[in-house]
Amino acid sequence: MALPALPPGAPPAALYAERHGLFELLQSLLEALLLRQPPEPLPFLAELLRRDGDRAPRVLLLGPPAAGKTTVAARLCRALGAVHLSPGRLLVWAELAAGRAAEPGCARRGWVLEGLPASRAQALALQARGVLPRHAVLLRAPDAALLERALGRRLDPATGHVYHTTFAWPADAAVQRRLVPLPGDAEARVARRLLQHHRQLPGILRAFGPRLCAVDADQPCADVCRQVLERVRRGPRAAAPFAPRLLLCGPPGSGKRLQAALLRRRYGLADLRCGRLLRAAAAAGGRLGRLLQPCLRRGGPAPDGLVLRVLRERMARPPAAAAGWVLHGFPRDLDQAELLAAAGLGPNRVVFLTLPAAAAAERVTPRRVDPVSGKRFHALLRPAPSRAVQRRLRRHPRDSPEALQERRERYDYHVADLELFYRDAIHVNANQDPETVFECIESYLVHPLPCHSP
């Protein structure tokens, strides 16, 4: 799978458009213009831009009976500041749903429509009336779990609150005595509604296609709401040109080099390992190389200004300029991150790989290098192929327990500041299979960043 890339030598205008989401904004404006077909397009577009480009949430929350749609929709509306639309409040579902969705309050704040559409015909009718969601979320759970939920629900006639015999039983004995079964929750009626849902579900899936995502509702309500909120805040993947600029941060031994190599093979990204770039620049000579050589001979860090010059030169050449890049080894602290951003070389995706110190020691300290071939081996994971090779193996000074502890302490000292600086970063557990780690990074790479509430 390849990402739609910016053309070679992408001009600053293209990078500006990507950074500020202009492609997605134009798509949103054109969609609204064609759907509503106002008599005066320019005032209509100006009003949309005043509402931040019509980026308000538009969510359909679907699912079988007792899947928790009402609870999830209410929490979603509180988190997003959106208007809650439910079938119980709409007398004529299609006309009123379309009318409520077009009201100024709904248009400005966004809306969450719960439980509709319940069939393909209803989905097409909503679409014909211009009610197009940005996200359609389907809550799924086994029928046995849904029956247990439905049959255990109890209504308090005095307050209208709904309780459950297993999950949410009131402590007040007086409330317990006046609870009655919820209307429509008889086992036969719930079973018929479940059967009807299963019959209509294939048509609903065809009506929304890739916009519909499923969430497992057979888990604690807080987890379901968190997953739904994450899906909604992450916009649909756009076909706009995109050059990934990915920064990998992590303690020594977390697998940054391996993940960068996997990304290079999969997406053709330039693998920018800072230490290797500095050594290559020093070996190439020239004025920049002569300035770097004393630093590398001493074994100390190179000045940040020289590092930025090396990175700028490398990022301007293919494949980094067109396909994008993955950077690791820099920045190591907040000052370097601010310098990188000020130079216009900042990443658009940041991943923090987390790894316990004990697991890092198991990965790093058994590593050995063959001084003859330059190949790297591991006493446990990748042993030397023969005794002759094994006898000449040497440990790199950076892999000693003392050096590892020093590098780890330096990383731990600065990581909190870097996490605050890169607010859209994700954290991936690196103490698992490398392919699993790669799948998490890949999902973050190809999907839009979450939309933060103002």
PDB file of all heavy atoms in Angstrom, residues 80-91:
ATOM      1  N   LEU A  80     -18.038  16.052  22.895  1.00  0.00           N
ATOM      2  CA  LEU A  80     -17.873  16.818  21.665  1.00  0.00           C
ATOM      3  C   LEU A  80     -18.637  18.132  21.667  1.00  0.00           C
ATOM      4  O   LEU A  80     -18.440  18.951  20.763  1.00  0.00           O
ATOM      5  CB  LEU A  80     -18.330  15.980  20.461  1.00  0.00           C
ATOM      6  CG  LEU A  80     -17.583  14.669  20.210  1.00  0.00           C
ATOM      7  CD1 LEU A  80     -18.258  13.899  19.086  1.00  0.00           C
ATOM      8  CD2 LEU A  80     -16.125  14.938  19.865  1.00  0.00           C
ATOM      9  N   GLY A  81     -19.533  18.319  22.633  1.00  0.00           N
ATOM     10  CA  GLY A  81     -20.381  19.503  22.619  1.00  0.00           C
ATOM     11  C   GLY A  81     -21.417  19.462  21.516  1.00  0.00           C
ATOM     12  O   GLY A  81     -21.877  20.507  21.041  1.00  0.00           O
ATOM     13  N   ALA A  82     -21.829  18.275  21.094  1.00  0.00           N
ATOM     14  CA  ALA A  82     -22.757  18.114  19.979  1.00  0.00           C
ATOM     15  C   ALA A  82     -24.190  17.960  20.476  1.00  0.00           C
ATOM     16  O   ALA A  82     -24.442  17.774  21.673  1.00  0.00           O
ATOM     17  CB  ALA A  82     -22.365  16.902  19.134  1.00  0.00           C
ATOM     18  N   VAL A  83     -25.137  18.016  19.529  1.00  0.00           N
ATOM     19  CA  VAL A  83     -26.560  17.863  19.829  1.00  0.00           C
ATOM     20  C   VAL A  83     -26.934  16.387  19.712  1.00  0.00           C
ATOM     21  O   VAL A  83     -26.558  15.721  18.754  1.00  0.00           O
ATOM     22  CB  VAL A  83     -27.411  18.704  18.863  1.00  0.00           C
ATOM     23  CG1 VAL A  83     -28.896  18.494  19.139  1.00  0.00           C
ATOM     24  CG2 VAL A  83     -27.048  20.172  18.991  1.00  0.00           C
ATOM     25  N   HIS A  84     -27.676  15.893  20.709  1.00  0.00           N
ATOM     26  CA  HIS A  84     -28.084  14.487  20.745  1.00  0.00           C
ATOM     27  C   HIS A  84     -29.450  14.341  20.073  1.00  0.00           C
ATOM     28  O   HIS A  84     -30.444  14.901  20.533  1.00  0.00           O
ATOM     29  CB  HIS A  84     -28.149  14.005  22.197  1.00  0.00           C
ATOM     30  CG  HIS A  84     -28.451  12.550  22.331  1.00  0.00           C
ATOM     31  ND1 HIS A  84     -28.612  11.936  23.558  1.00  0.00           N
ATOM     32  CD2 HIS A  84     -28.612  11.566  21.404  1.00  0.00           C
ATOM     33  CE1 HIS A  84     -28.870  10.656  23.375  1.00  0.00           C
ATOM     34  NE2 HIS A  84     -28.885  10.416  22.072  1.00  0.00           N
ATOM     35  N   LEU A  85     -29.495  13.600  18.961  1.00  0.00           N
ATOM     36  CA  LEU A  85     -30.749  13.309  18.261  1.00  0.00           C
ATOM     37  C   LEU A  85     -31.069  11.836  18.438  1.00  0.00           C
ATOM     38  O   LEU A  85     -30.235  10.976  18.153  1.00  0.00           O
ATOM     39  CB  LEU A  85     -30.625  13.626  16.770  1.00  0.00           C
ATOM     40  CG  LEU A  85     -30.156  15.031  16.395  1.00  0.00           C
ATOM     41  CD1 LEU A  85     -30.034  15.157  14.887  1.00  0.00           C
ATOM     42  CD2 LEU A  85     -31.108  16.067  16.947  1.00  0.00           C
ATOM     43  N   SER A  86     -32.273  11.532  18.895  1.00  0.00           N
ATOM     44  CA  SER A  86     -32.664  10.143  19.096  1.00  0.00           C
ATOM     45  C   SER A  86     -34.053   9.921  18.541  1.00  0.00           C
ATOM     46  O   SER A  86     -34.868  10.847  18.473  1.00  0.00           O
ATOM     47  CB  SER A  86     -32.636   9.778  20.587  1.00  0.00           C
ATOM     48  OG  SER A  86     -33.605  10.524  21.293  1.00  0.00           O
ATOM     49  N   PRO A  87     -34.379   8.666  18.125  1.00  0.00           N
ATOM     50  CA  PRO A  87     -35.699   8.397  17.540  1.00  0.00           C
ATOM     51  C   PRO A  87     -36.841   8.717  18.485  1.00  0.00           C
ATOM     52  O   PRO A  87     -37.906   9.131  18.058  1.00  0.00           O
ATOM     53  CB  PRO A  87     -35.646   6.900  17.218  1.00  0.00           C
ATOM     54  CG  PRO A  87     -34.193   6.569  17.152  1.00  0.00           C
ATOM     55  CD  PRO A  87     -33.517   7.487  18.116  1.00  0.00           C
ATOM     56  N   GLY A  88     -36.609   8.568  19.804  1.00  0.00           N
ATOM     57  CA  GLY A  88     -37.683   8.845  20.747  1.00  0.00           C
ATOM     58  C   GLY A  88     -38.092  10.300  20.763  1.00  0.00           C
ATOM     59  O   GLY A  88     -39.200  10.631  21.176  1.00  0.00           O
ATOM     60  N   ARG A  89     -37.202  11.201  20.297  1.00  0.00           N
ATOM     61  CA  ARG A  89     -37.515  12.635  20.285  1.00  0.00           C
ATOM     62  C   ARG A  89     -37.930  13.116  18.905  1.00  0.00           C
ATOM     63  O   ARG A  89     -38.186  14.305  18.720  1.00  0.00           O
ATOM     64  CB  ARG A  89     -36.288  13.424  20.756  1.00  0.00           C
ATOM     65  CG  ARG A  89     -35.835  13.044  22.155  1.00  0.00           C
ATOM     66  CD  ARG A  89     -34.489  13.650  22.465  1.00  0.00           C
ATOM     67  NE  ARG A  89     -33.956  13.135  23.723  1.00  0.00           N
ATOM     68  CZ  ARG A  89     -32.702  13.289  24.109  1.00  0.00           C
ATOM     69  NH1 ARG A  89     -31.859  13.939  23.353  1.00  0.00           N
ATOM     70  NH2 ARG A  89     -32.290  12.789  25.252  1.00  0.00           N
ATOM     71  N   LEU A  90     -37.938  12.229  17.919  1.00  0.00           N
ATOM     72  CA  LEU A  90     -38.294  12.632  16.567  1.00  0.00           C
ATOM     73  C   LEU A  90     -39.588  11.925  16.167  1.00  0.00           C
ATOM     74  O   LEU A  90     -39.651  10.704  16.130  1.00  0.00           O
ATOM     75  CB  LEU A  90     -37.168  12.259  15.590  1.00  0.00           C
ATOM     76  CG  LEU A  90     -35.776  12.832  15.945  1.00  0.00           C
ATOM     77  CD1 LEU A  90     -34.745  12.332  14.956  1.00  0.00           C
ATOM     78  CD2 LEU A  90     -35.823  14.340  15.940  1.00  0.00           C
ATOM     79  N   LEU A  91     -40.626  12.687  15.847  1.00  0.00           N
ATOM     80  CA  LEU A  91     -41.921  12.086  15.566  1.00  0.00           C
ATOM     81  C   LEU A  91     -41.941  11.444  14.188  1.00  0.00           C
ATOM     82  O   LEU A  91     -42.367  10.313  14.031  1.00  0.00           O
ATOM     83  CB  LEU A  91     -43.020  13.157  15.689  1.00  0.00           C
ATOM     84  CG  LEU A  91     -43.122  13.834  17.069  1.00  0.00           C
ATOM     85  CD1 LEU A  91     -44.213  14.887  17.035  1.00  0.00           C
ATOM     86  CD2 LEU A  91     -43.380  12.795  18.140  1.00  0.00           C
TER      87      LEU A  91
END
